[in-house]
Amino acid sequence: DAGVTQSPTHLIKTRGQQVTLRCSPISGHKSVSWYQQVLGQGPQFIFQYYEKEERGRGNFPDRFSARQFPNYSSELNVNALLLGDSALYLCASSQEPGTSGGEETQYFGPGTRLLVL
Amino acid sequence: AQKVTQAQTEISVVEKEDVTLDCVYETRDTTYYLFWYKQPPSGELVFLIRRNSFDEQNEISGRYSWNFQKSTSSFNFTITASQVVDSAVYFCALYTGTYKYIFGTGTRLKVLA
């Protein structure tokens, strides 16, 4: 079975531009989460979507937005890019959120490396 | 507050040595999960182990073993007979049934041949 896929793998943008990152979850997984990982740090939670509804949002500005499609794939959009947005953006999928049975275990994709110049 | 602390920033060992990675967590929730992930240079986080708060039984899986102690809020991870391929950054994470994982800052493990 295919794992979580993300596109593109690398991206270079300039300040003020907008970017869209894409994620396809593992087949059968209905929840997608997005994380930002700055060099040398652990991943920081941005969004979680389940059944196309936003379930949670981390401490990120409104320049960050996301959505989930009927096929459970997801997009992360970042507007008005800043130099500080340069990071590895990770997408994770799980069967469903919760605290039972292991369905909440998140499996991560390879990430998109975004460089803002 | 919920927090995960990995005090070891970087560890270097010689191949075949055993190495333990430390993780201390904070949460007031009684139900939670703890995870270890491995991040090789490629960047993808690879799931290694999941433990729930009601299962303190420690486990050995091949060269990996885990020591979960609620009394000290620790969830340590040991690699026996380390190999060069074990070189990576290892993250401990906490999930309390909300919607996000809380990660530590990671421990970079270097296994030297």
Side-chain angles (χ1 to χ4, degrees):
Chain A
D1 287 341
V4 177
T5 60
Q6 292 185 244
S7 63
T9 56
H10 295 79
L11 207 50
I12 299 176
K13 293 286 189 179
T14 57
R15 281 178 297 176
Q17 285 189 311
Q18 175 265 342
V19 67
T20 297
L21 311 181
R22 296 176 176 83
C23 171
S24 292
I26 293 172
S27 177
H29 285 194
K30 298 179 180 179
S31 179
V32 170
S33 299
W34 288 95
Y35 292 81
Q36 181 195 66
Q37 186 179 18
V38 175
L39 193 63
Q41 298 295 318
Q44 297 294 315
F45 173 78
I46 309 176
F47 285 110
Q48 184 181 80
Y49 277 77
Y50 175 63
E51 290 281 15
K52 302 181 290 295
E53 297 290 327
E54 181 184 304
R55 293 194 75 245
R57 181 187 183 114
N59 188 25
F60 280 82
D62 291 343
R63 299 184 296 107
F64 289 77
S65 63
R67 56 179 175 169
Q68 187 177 33
F69 299 98
N71 65 354
Y72 303 111
S73 66
S74 177
E75 286 183 352
L76 174 70
N77 296 285
V78 186
N79 293 322
L81 285 167
L82 304 175
L83 296 179
D85 295 331
S86 296
L88 177 66
Y89 288 85
L90 293 163
C91 173
S93 77
S94 61
Q95 290 179 315
E96 60 180 274
T99 53
S100 63
E103 293 87 0
E104 73 295 324
T105 299
Q106 294 188 0
Y107 296 89
F108 286 79
T112 294
R113 294 188 185 275
L114 173 64
L115 177 61
V116 182
L117 302 176
Chain B
Q2 296 168 345
K3 186 178 179 181
V4 174
T5 301
Q6 295 180 254
Q8 304 154 308
T9 304
E10 184 169 315
I11 301 175
S12 292
V13 298
V14 176
E15 202 170 20
K16 298 184 181 178
E17 286 186 355
D18 299 346
V19 58
T20 296
L21 309 181
D22 298 333
C23 173
V24 174
Y25 63 94
E26 296 177 27
T27 180
R28 294 183 179 179
D29 292 274
T30 56
T31 300
Y32 53 88
Y33 287 96
L34 295 163
F35 299 81
W36 276 99
Y37 285 86
K38 173 183 179 180
Q39 188 174 44
S42 61
E44 182 172 350
L45 281 167
V46 178
F47 167 70
L48 295 177
I49 182 83
R50 160 185 166 271
R51 268 291 176 267
N52 69 50
S53 53
F54 300 107
D55 181 7
E56 288 193 74
Q57 181 178 357
N58 296 312
E59 182 176 322
I60 297 175
S61 176
R63 296 186 299 109
Y64 298 159
S65 61
W66 296 266
N67 187 345
F68 175 32
Q69 293 190 340
K70 288 179 69 173
S71 61
T72 56
S73 297
S74 66
F75 184 49
N76 298 335
F77 170 55
T78 297
I79 302 175
T80 303
S82 59
Q83 300 175 1
V84 173
V85 293
D86 296 327
S87 297
V89 180
Y90 290 81
F91 289 96
C92 180
L94 168 69
Y95 177 74
T96 60
T98 53
Y99 43 79
K100 63 179 178 181
Y101 280 29
I102 298 168
F103 285 85
T105 52
T107 297
R108 180 176 299 276
L109 174 64
K110 293 184 177 180
V111 182
L112 308 173

